[in-house]
Amino acid sequence: MHTTRFEAGHHDHEGFWGPTTSSIDWCERNYAVNGYIAEFWNTISNSAFIIVGLMGIFQAYRHRYETRFVLIGLGIMVVGVGSSAFHGTLLYEYQMADELPMIWSIMVWNYAMFLMESTTTTKKHTLTVVLCVSYAVIYSVLHVYFAFTITFQLNFALMIVISGFILHKNCIEHTGRSFIPLVVVRKRLPSDHYNPIEILNLYSLCWHYVVVLLLALACWLLDQFGCEVLHNLPFGIPNPQLHAWWHVLCGYNCHLGLQLSIGLREKVINETRLPQTIWYGEVWPVTNRKDEKVG
């Protein structure tokens, strides 16, 4: 199997897991920090996903939220575990343990966002589940067989774009605002729900989610296309390991997305009892029902 590399030449050390069998080898040099972990920083940075996923599952169980939120948290955690295994070994089988959960997790997220308004099981609900599961199954089989690299990245990017459109629709529907700069939305919410602090908090979660995602994508792109430069920075500055920062920012982004989806869903289910969001240290939001204690 051909392995795509982002740094010309080989500057890697021999390590515990042997030769690379994955279809992609990231910018971080292999076994440079630890002889048992192929990409040290790319591996430990996945703790962000694991922590956020576990916290999401606990939050969903504690407050008896719908199963969709448990599945979102579980998906985030599984992605973190699989990605740790992949970056720690650079073996093909663990690459699949990273990439396949990414597809399944974003399908769960898109399902939850697309059916944000649904309060009963309808044909639309059933059809959405069937389509999401069918797509994930078919793509998973093809991906395991063909070991896509560019196709996988383009497919995942498409899923992110689709989720962005759905999120934008939900943001306008429930906050009366667009998170896209210079886009003026004329939707007016009911007078009793127009511009209360809870609505502003939901909108804040929307644009925080988008901004952090864009920062994460910038790190991911720079790590690939600027790898040679990152390894040869002036004044002996070490490689900032932007793929590891992609993991950290995406983990934070997943937390923002989970809190946002909880807030939007609670607004749908309990229209007269809007959710509340508390920002701990101005950076860590937690969304809950207004009559429940947060924390």
Side-chain angles (χ1 to χ4, degrees):
M1 179 187 299
H2 171 71
T3 300
T4 300
R5 299 177 185 271
F6 300 111
E7 184 182 15
H10 295 278
H11 303 273
D12 300 330
H13 300 81
E14 291 294 329
F16 178 79
W17 298 99
T20 297
T21 61
S22 59
S23 65
I24 192 167
D25 189 351
W26 301 95
C27 188
E28 182 179 355
R29 290 172 179 170
N30 302 341
Y31 299 104
V33 176
N34 187 294
Y36 293 94
I37 303 176
E39 295 177 344
F40 181 81
W41 299 109
N42 288 350
T43 300
I44 66 170
S45 58
N46 279 292
S47 59
F49 291 109
I50 298 172
I51 292 171
V52 166
L54 287 172
M55 290 178 64
I57 294 171
F58 175 76
Q59 182 182 10
Y61 270 117
R62 180 183 181 187
H63 299 290
R64 298 180 181 178
Y65 292 142
E66 295 167 290
T67 304
R68 65 177 69 188
F69 299 114
V70 177
L71 293 176
I72 291 174
L74 181 62
I76 295 169
M77 183 188 70
V78 172
V79 167
V81 173
S83 186
S84 296
F86 169 39
H87 289 287
T89 64
L90 291 180
L91 298 179
Y92 171 73
E93 53 266 37
Y94 294 117
Q95 179 183 359
M96 295 299 102
D98 172 23
E99 294 175 349
L100 296 184
M102 290 173 64
I103 297 299
W104 283 86
S105 295
I106 199 166
M107 295 309 292
V108 172
W109 166 253
N110 284 345
Y111 153 81
M113 296 302 290
F114 184 70
L115 293 178
M116 187 62 67
E117 303 291 331
S118 177
T119 55
T120 58
T121 301
T122 62
K123 289 183 178 181
K124 177 183 177 181
H125 179 278
T126 303
L127 180 60
T128 301
V129 172
V130 170
L131 288 175
C132 287
V133 172
S134 298
Y135 182 87
V137 169
I138 293 171
Y139 183 85
S140 296
V141 173
L142 293 174
H143 188 55
V144 170
Y145 184 79
F146 291 105
F148 299 126
T149 298
I150 301 300
T151 302
F152 168 77
Q153 294 174 351
L154 292 175
N155 176 73
F156 193 70
L158 176 62
M159 293 299 103
I160 291 177
V161 170
I162 291 173
S163 70
F165 278 111
I166 300 173
L167 175 62
H168 187 248
K169 175 182 177 295
N170 283 324
C171 185
I172 293 173
E173 182 69 26
H174 296 285
T175 71
R177 294 172 170 82
S178 169
F179 56 67
I180 301 176
L182 304 180
V183 173
V184 178
V185 177
R186 300 185 182 278
K187 177 179 175 60
R188 186 175 182 85
L189 300 177
S191 58
D192 56 334
H193 292 148
Y194 189 67
N195 260 1
I197 188 65
E198 292 86 358
I199 293 295
L200 293 176
N201 277 331
L202 285 178
Y203 178 69
S204 178
L205 282 172
C206 283
W207 72 259
H208 272 87
Y209 176 87
V210 174
V211 169
V212 172
L213 178 60
L214 292 176
L215 289 173
L217 287 171
C219 288
W220 185 80
L221 290 170
L222 287 171
D223 183 74
Q224 293 188 50
F225 298 105
C227 184
E228 294 286 346
V229 175
L230 293 173
H231 278 301
N232 295 280
L233 295 174
F235 311 111
I237 299 175
N239 184 340
Q241 307 299 345
L242 293 182
H243 194 80
W245 283 107
W246 150 261
H247 289 160
V248 172
L249 289 172
C250 279
Y252 181 47
N253 180 255
C254 288
H255 175 73
L256 292 171
L258 180 58
Q259 301 310 309
L260 172 61
S261 61
I262 289 173
L264 292 173
R265 185 61 176 168
E266 284 298 307
K267 181 177 179 295
V268 170
I269 297 174
N270 302 297
E271 185 66 31
T272 59
R273 186 180 61 184
L274 295 180
Q276 63 175 344
T277 302
I278 294 180
W279 288 78
Y280 291 97
E282 304 298 326
V283 296
W284 193 260
V286 175
T287 302
N288 222 316
R289 297 188 178 104
K290 194 170 184 179
D291 60 344
E292 290 184 350
K293 183 178 179 181
V294 178

